[in-house]
């Protein structure tokens, strides 16, 4: 892919059948935006770039203008962050991109982290996965646990994750109790739900398949269940 600054579009017509990223810095000035409307071809990808501390709320208005003109090219947002703390980076990137992805307004994210460059790609995939835009790993759902949890849910969650994190596309719920767990595990493919002191029930979707399993055996039983329903793959 080639990245073309919007100013360069003035010099030549963008060629057809070539996937170019056409980059516009936020805030976008009206002249640059008019150029996009005039020069863009169906194969191009629009790249809105924001520097650190810059709000990207303006993107909603710009995308709305594109859609009003029937321009449905993919849109990617690139933003630079300088958070020292990785947890803060997660919060800031999720807040910036999450709602735009969930509303289907953008197609990709480009996180440029000055302090956590090595984790930027993984974080991008996590945000795409959480918003349902691109599934690239197993999805886990868990409750925070409470007084109704009568087994070691923290350990169980770690063990389930370790055993199944290569099953891309599957949703697995680890819940604390059978009172609210089945209802709160949303649309998980498999449920691992506490059922009293040291006991676990296993679900396939919303159907209860195995009851009262000792928690020490429950991860192995979950794997057996996933195999039985044809969703298991060996780790590479
Ligand atoms: S699912 Fe059960 S254990 Fe988990 S938070 Fe809800 S009530 Fe508590």
């Amino acid at each position: 892919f080639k990245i073309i600054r919007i100013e360069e579009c003035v010099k030549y017509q963008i060629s057809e059948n070539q996937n170019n990223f056409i980059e516009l810095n936020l805030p976008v000035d009206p002249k640059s935006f008019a150029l996009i409307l005039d020069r863009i071809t169906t194969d191009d990808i629009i790249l809105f770039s924001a520097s650190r501390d810059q709000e990207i709320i303006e993107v909603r208005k710009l995308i709305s203008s594109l859609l009003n003109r029937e321009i449905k090219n993919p849109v990617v947002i690139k933003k630079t962050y300088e958070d020292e703390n990785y947890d803060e980076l997660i919060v800031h990137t999720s807040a910036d991109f999450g709602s735009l992805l969930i509303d289907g307004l953008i197609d990709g994210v480009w996180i440029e982290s000055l302090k956590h460059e090595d984790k930027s790609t993984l974080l991008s995939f996590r945000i795409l996965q959480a918003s349902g835009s691109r599934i690239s790993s197993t999805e886990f759902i868990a409750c925070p646990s409470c007084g109704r949890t009568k087994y070691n849910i923290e350990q169980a969650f770690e063990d389930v994750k370790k055993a199944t994190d290569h099953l891309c596309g599957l949703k697995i719920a680890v819940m604390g109790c059978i009172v609210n767990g089945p209802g709160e595990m949303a649309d998980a493919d498999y449920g691992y739900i506490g059922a009293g002191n040291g006991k676990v029930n296993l679900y396939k979707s919303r159907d209860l398949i195995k009851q009262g399993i000792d928690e020490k055996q429950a991860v192995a039983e979950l794997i057996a269940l996933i195999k039985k329903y044809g969703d298991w793959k060996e780790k590479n």
Side-chain angles (χ1 to χ4, degrees), residues 142-150 153 174-182 184 193:
C143 77
S145 80
C146 68
R148 286 193 166 122
T149 310
K150 304 291 183 197
I153 189 170
V174 178
M175 311 298 284
C177 76
I178 49 170
V179 180
N180 292 322
E184 290 176 4
I193 300 183

Side-chain angles (χ1 to χ4, degrees), residues 130-147:
S131 63
S133 306
R134 178 174 175 173
I135 304 301
S136 55
S137 61
T138 317
E139 188 167 334
F140 296 101
I141 300 154
C143 77
S145 80
C146 68

Side-chain angles (χ1 to χ4, degrees), residues 2 12 30-31 33 88 90 123 137 146 194 202 211 218 235:
K2 190 172 172 185
Y12 60 92
K31 269 189 187 168
F33 197 62
E88 284 178 10
I90 294 174
L123 179 56
S137 61
C146 68
L202 295 180
Q211 246 177 316
K235 283 195 185 196

